[in-house]
Amino acid sequence: MNGHIEAFHRILEDECLARYEFMSYAEAYQVVTEFIRFYNERRIHSSICDLAPQEFYALQTERKFVIREVRV
């Protein structure tokens, strides 16, 4: 689980925080909130078959998507 959190923090740093110079906490909060919304609703993730998390969740709740088991 820690690896997932660290990966998210790296993505947040690379794709959001490093691109802006914030003048206030409120400005930073707004940009990060927008990025998290984008990350959860529109950004595709290779770990869930190149779908956005919101799209993947909708398919899962409707039971229209089957996750393939992968042996490592």
Side-chain angles (χ1 to χ4, degrees):
M1 185 96 169
N2 193 34
H4 294 287
I5 294 167
E6 289 179 14
F8 172 74
H9 284 165
R10 171 139 188 214
I11 291 168
L12 179 65
E13 175 67 31
D14 291 347
E15 295 183 16
C16 180
L17 300 176
R19 295 181 179 192
Y20 298 96
E21 187 171 309
F22 304 108
M23 298 305 228
S24 68
Y25 176 81
E27 182 184 357
Y29 186 87
Q30 179 182 0
V31 169
V32 170
T33 300
E34 289 172 10
F35 176 78
I36 291 173
R37 185 173 296 119
F38 166 76
Y39 184 86
N40 287 326
E41 295 176 3
R42 297 188 314 271
R43 184 180 185 273
I44 61 170
H45 296 254
S46 60
S47 62
I48 53 175
C49 302
D50 294 325
L51 297 170
Q54 189 175 39
E55 184 179 10
F56 179 78
Y57 178 75
L59 291 172
Q60 282 296 97
T61 56
E62 296 171 6
R63 303 209 187 276
K64 293 183 179 178
F65 191 83
V66 178
I67 298 175
R68 294 179 303 159
E69 183 176 322
V70 178
R71 291 189 170 187
V72 182

